[in-house]
C-alpha cells in the first residue's frame, strides 16, 4: 500500500478541480507535462510581485535576492541528483536543449569521421535529431540498439554494437512512449569499458526513480522541470566537471565571459560558461518548490502509488478483453492491445484498440473529460519498429486515483462495443 494522502495532494493542484466537456477532468497526460502544485504557482507570483531583478550583476538588494534564490535552485537540484559539485548543474530550457548542448559542444570537439554514436530504438526525437545533425557534419556513424516485442532493449545486441569506435552512448532512461525503464547502470558500465561517454535522457525518469549520478557514473544527464511538477522552459544539464571544462561554450553573449575585447574573449568558469544571456530566472526559482514537493513526498511513496495505478489500469483493460470473449464465446467487442509490457516499467501505458484510429479514441475520451496523449509521442522511429502509426497513452502522476482509472476503463468499455 502506498503512503500517499491523495486528498491532501490533490488539494495542492488547483487545475485538477474543474470540469472539461461537462465532466470532471481526468488528467492522464503526465508524461507530456505534469501539473503544478500551488507552491510553484505562488512562487512565480511572488517572484514577479516582490523580487524581480536580473541576476549575478547588479549591486542592489532585489538583484542579490534574485541571485540567491536562483542559485538556491542549483543547490537543490545538485542534492536531488547527488552531483558531486554544484557547478556541474547547468540551467537550460529543458531536456531538448541539454542534449543539443552536448551534441553541439562535446560532439563538435570530440567526434571524428568514422567514430560511432549509439542510441536506442525507443529514443524521443530530441535524443535522435541532435545526434543526426552532428553525425552528418562530422561523418560519424549513428548505431541503434534494437528492442523486443515487450519494448525492452536487446542487451546482447548492444554489446555487439560496442567497440573502440564508440564515442558516445545516448540513451533514454525511461521511455515516454512505452514506460520501459532501461538498465542504465549496465549500459554505462559497458560503454565505459570501451572508453565511450554516456548521456542519459532523464526526462521521464527523474519524477519516478531515485537519481544518483555518482552511483550511476553517467557522464551527462538531461532533466526537464516541467515533467517534475515544475514550470516549462527550465531544464538542467548535469555533466562531469572535467568534461564540461573541456567542452567549448554553446552560445556566446553576456554572463558566459570573463573578459571581452574586440581582439579576444576569455570564457567564464562552469556553469556560467554555458549560461549565456539572461536565464529564465522566475521559472528556475519556482522549480525549487517543485523539487521540494517531490522530496517531501518521497520518490518511493510516489513510485508505489503510481505503480498501483499502473497495475490497476492494466488489469482493468485486460479484464475488458477477457470478459468480452468469455461471456458469449465469440468476441463481442474490439480487442485492446497493450503496447509496452516491459518487466521494469513506470506508470505509462500505451494501447491501441483494433480497428480504431488512436486519434479518434483520444477525441472520444476527451469528450468524457479524460486527457490522454495520442499519436507517435515524438518517437516516430519507435512506432516504425512496432509497425504502428501511433498509440493512445495514459500516464499517471502522484495525484491520480483509482477512481479516475475506473472512469477511463468504463469509457474504453463503451468505445470498444462492436457496431
Ligand atoms: N525525452 C523524453 C523521453 C521526453 O519524454 C521528452 C518530453 N516529451 C523529451 C525528451 C523532451 O523534453 P523537453 O520537451 O522538455 O525538452
Amino acid at each position: 500500500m502506498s503512503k500517499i494522502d491523495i486528498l491532501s495532494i490533490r488539494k495542492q493542484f488547483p487545475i485538477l478541480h474543474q470540469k472539461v466537456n461537462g465532466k470532471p477532468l481526468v488528467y492522464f497526460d503526465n508524461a507530456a507535462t505534469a501539473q503544478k502544485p500551488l507552491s510553484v504557482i505562488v512562487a512565480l507570483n511572488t517572484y514577479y510581485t516582490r523580487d524581480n531583478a536580473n541576476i549575478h550583476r547588479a549591486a542592489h538588494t532585489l538583484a542579490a535576492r534574485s541571485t540567491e534564490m536562483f542559485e538556491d535552485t542549483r543547490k537543490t537540484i545538485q542534492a536531488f541528483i547527488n552531483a558531486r559539485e554544484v557547478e556541474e548543474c547547468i540551467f537550460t530550457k529543458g531536456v531538448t536543449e541539454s542534449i543539443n548542448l552536448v551534441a553541439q559542444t562535446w560532439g563538435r570537439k570530440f567526434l571524428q569521421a568514422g567514430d560511432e554514436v549509439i542510441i536506442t530504438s525507443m529514443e524521443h526525437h530530441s535524443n535522435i535529431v541532435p545526434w543526426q545533425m552532428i553525425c552528418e557534419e562530422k561523418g560519424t556513424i549513428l548505431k541503434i540498439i534494437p528492442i523486443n516485442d515487450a519494448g525492452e532493449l536487446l542487451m546482447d545486441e548492444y554489446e555487439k554494437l560496442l567497440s573502440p569506435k564508440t564515442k558516445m552512448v545516448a540513451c533514454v532512461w525511461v521511455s515516454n512512449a512505452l514506460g520501459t525503464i532501461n538498465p542504465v547502470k549496465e549500459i554505462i558500465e559497458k560503454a565505459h569499458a570501451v572508453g565511450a561517454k554516456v548521456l542519459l535522457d532523464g526526462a521521464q525518469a527523474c519524477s519516478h526513480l531515485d537519481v544518483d549520478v555518482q552511483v550511476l557514473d553517467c557522464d551527462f544527464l538531461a532533466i526537464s522541470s516541467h515533467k517534475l511538477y515544475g514550470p516549462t522552459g527550465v531544464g538542467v544539464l548535469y555533466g562531469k566537471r572535467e568534461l564540461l571544462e573541456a567542452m567549448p561554450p554553446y552560445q556566446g553573449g553576456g554572463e558566459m565571459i570573463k573578459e571581452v575585447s574586440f581582439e579576444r574573449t576569455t570564457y567564464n568558469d562552469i556553469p556560467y560558461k554555458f549560461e549565456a544571456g539572461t536565464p529564465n530566472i522566475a521559472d528556475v526559482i519556482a522549480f525549487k518548490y517543485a523539487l521540494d514537493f517531490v522530496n517531501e513526498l518521497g520518490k518511493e511513496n510516489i513510485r508505489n502509488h503510481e505503480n498501483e495505478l499502473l497495475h490497476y489500469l492494466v488489469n482493468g483493460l485486460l479484464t475488458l478483453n477477457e470478459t468480452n470473449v468469455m461471456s458469449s464465446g465469440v468476441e463481442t467487442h474490439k480487442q485492446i492491445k497493450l503496447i509496452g509490457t516491459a518487466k521494469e516499467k513506470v506508470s505509462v501505458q500505451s494501447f491501441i484498440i483494433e480497428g480504431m484510429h488512436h486519434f479518434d479514441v483520444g477525441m472520444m475520451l476527451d469528450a468524457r473529460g479524460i486527457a490522454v496523449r495520442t499519436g507517435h509521442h515524438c518517437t516516430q522511429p519507435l512506432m516504425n519498429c512496432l509497425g504502428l502509426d501511433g498509440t493512445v497513452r495514459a500516464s499517471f502522476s502522484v495525484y491520480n486515483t483509482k477512481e479516475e482509472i475506473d472512469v477511463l476503463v468504463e469509457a474504453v468499455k463503451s468505445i470498444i462495443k462492436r457496431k
Side-chain angles (χ1 to χ4, degrees):
M1 277 298 285
S2 69
K3 294 188 193 141
I4 291 291
D5 178 356
I6 195 75
L7 279 181
S8 94
I9 289 173
R10 285 181 72 82
K11 273 194 200 143
Q12 298 178 52
F13 289 83
I15 201 169
L16 298 176
H17 308 285
Q18 63 176 298
K19 287 196 170 167
V20 168
N21 297 322
K23 301 277 174 359
L25 169 65
V26 172
Y27 186 78
F28 285 163
D29 196 16
N30 296 287
T33 198
Q35 299 301 352
K36 321 304 171 200
L38 256 180
S39 57
V40 169
I41 300 166
V42 169
L44 281 171
N45 198 337
T46 308
Y47 176 73
Y48 282 122
T49 47
R50 194 189 63 188
D51 306 313
N52 179 45
N54 212 331
I55 54 168
H56 292 146
R57 282 162 240 182
H60 62 81
T61 302
L62 294 196
R65 213 190 274 160
S66 295
T67 304
E68 197 182 322
M69 291 192 294
F70 183 88
E71 292 301 330
D72 239 22
T73 303
R74 206 189 302 273
K75 287 182 203 144
T76 309
I77 191 75
Q78 177 202 1
F80 193 80
I81 63 173
N82 195 29
R84 187 171 288 120
E85 298 173 79
V86 72
E87 294 84 3
E88 294 177 318
C89 301
I90 295 157
F91 286 118
T92 63
K93 281 194 307 197
V95 163
T96 304
E97 191 177 43
S98 297
I99 297 173
N100 275 279
L101 191 163
V102 177
Q104 289 299 318
T105 62
W106 181 89
R108 182 157 292 141
K109 182 157 176 191
F110 292 106
L111 290 175
Q112 309 287 341
D115 284 347
E116 293 176 359
V117 170
I118 297 179
I119 60 174
T120 79
S121 302
M122 63 177 91
E123 295 309 319
H124 188 280
H125 295 163
S126 61
N127 203 24
I128 302 174
V129 185
W131 297 110
Q132 283 174 330
M133 286 161 67
I134 193 68
C135 284
E136 196 177 333
E137 194 179 312
K138 290 292 194 158
T140 302
I141 298 147
L142 196 60
K143 301 241 162 164
I144 319 292
I145 313 172
I147 52 171
N148 63 19
D149 290 343
E152 295 163 317
L153 291 178
L154 297 178
M155 292 299 281
D156 292 352
E157 298 299 320
Y158 169 52
E159 281 189 53
K160 285 186 213 154
L161 293 177
L162 284 168
S163 80
K165 287 190 200 160
T166 314
K167 292 293 174 299
M168 168 64 76
V169 178
C171 170
V172 70
W173 187 347
V174 167
S175 159
N176 62 312
L178 306 173
T180 311
I181 304 173
N182 286 320
V184 288
K185 182 94 179 102
E186 192 184 338
I187 288 170
I188 293 164
E189 277 165 13
K190 296 210 157 109
H192 284 171
V194 297
K197 305 295 179 216
V198 179
L199 175 144
L200 294 182
D201 170 349
Q204 299 294 335
C206 294
S207 56
H208 308 281
L209 307 180
D210 299 318
V211 184
D212 186 327
V213 291
Q214 292 188 64
V215 168
L216 281 173
D217 199 26
C218 57
D219 299 288
F220 300 102
L221 171 68
I223 300 166
S224 265
S225 144
H226 73 100
K227 314 269 190 198
L228 258 166
Y229 310 96
T232 52
V234 175
V236 175
L237 172 68
Y238 158 81
K240 286 181 180 164
R241 174 181 276 279
E242 63 275 18
L243 293 172
L244 295 175
E245 284 181 339
M247 283 154 53
Y250 179 43
Q251 294 176 326
E255 195 67 27
M256 52 76 72
I257 53 92
K258 268 197 177 126
E259 261 180 73
V260 180
S261 70
F262 285 122
E263 291 70 37
R264 186 168 170 267
T265 292
T266 50
Y267 302 129
N268 209 337
D269 297 326
I270 61 164
Y272 309 114
K273 182 172 87 173
F274 295 105
E275 293 180 357
T278 301
N280 187 351
I281 304 168
D283 292 295
V284 166
I285 288 172
F287 181 31
K288 176 185 181 297
Y289 292 82
L291 295 170
D292 289 347
F293 168 79
V294 173
N295 285 335
E296 274 159 30
L297 286 178
K299 287 266 184 79
E300 197 185 344
N301 292 329
I302 294 175
R303 216 163 35 237
N304 288 343
H305 176 70
E306 292 172 340
N307 286 346
E308 267 185 41
L309 297 179
L310 177 69
H311 292 131
Y312 193 69
L313 173 73
V314 167
N315 283 339
L317 292 178
L318 293 180
T319 307
L320 287 183
N321 276 350
E322 283 164 20
T323 48
N324 297 335
V325 179
M326 276 162 37
S327 56
S328 59
V330 283
E331 283 180 22
T332 56
H333 291 67
K334 300 180 182 88
Q335 294 286 297
I336 302 155
K337 185 168 179 213
L338 301 182
I339 309 294
T341 51
K343 274 189 218 80
E344 299 295 328
K345 277 194 66 167
V346 301
S347 52
V348 169
Q349 189 59 58
S350 271
F351 60 94
I352 50 171
I353 298 175
E354 63 157 334
M356 292 194 72
H357 196 274
H358 47 83
F359 185 72
D360 293 335
V361 177
M363 295 292 285
M364 290 176 193
L365 293 175
D366 181 55
R368 293 161 167 88
I370 305 167
V372 292
R373 199 61 157 193
T374 62
H376 53 62
H377 315 297
C378 296
T379 57
Q380 275 182 339
L382 170 65
M383 293 296 134
N384 288 340
C385 290
L386 299 170
L388 302 170
D389 60 357
T391 71
V392 181
R393 181 189 71 186
S395 50
F396 307 129
S397 265
V398 68
Y399 41 68
N400 289 127
T401 65
K402 287 188 177 169
E403 290 73 25
E404 290 180 307
I405 294 177
D406 289 338
V407 174
L408 173 63
V409 172
E410 270 308 304
V412 171
K413 189 173 172 186
S414 66
I415 289 171
I416 63 176
K417 275 192 191 138
R418 276 194 195 280
K419 296 216 174 72

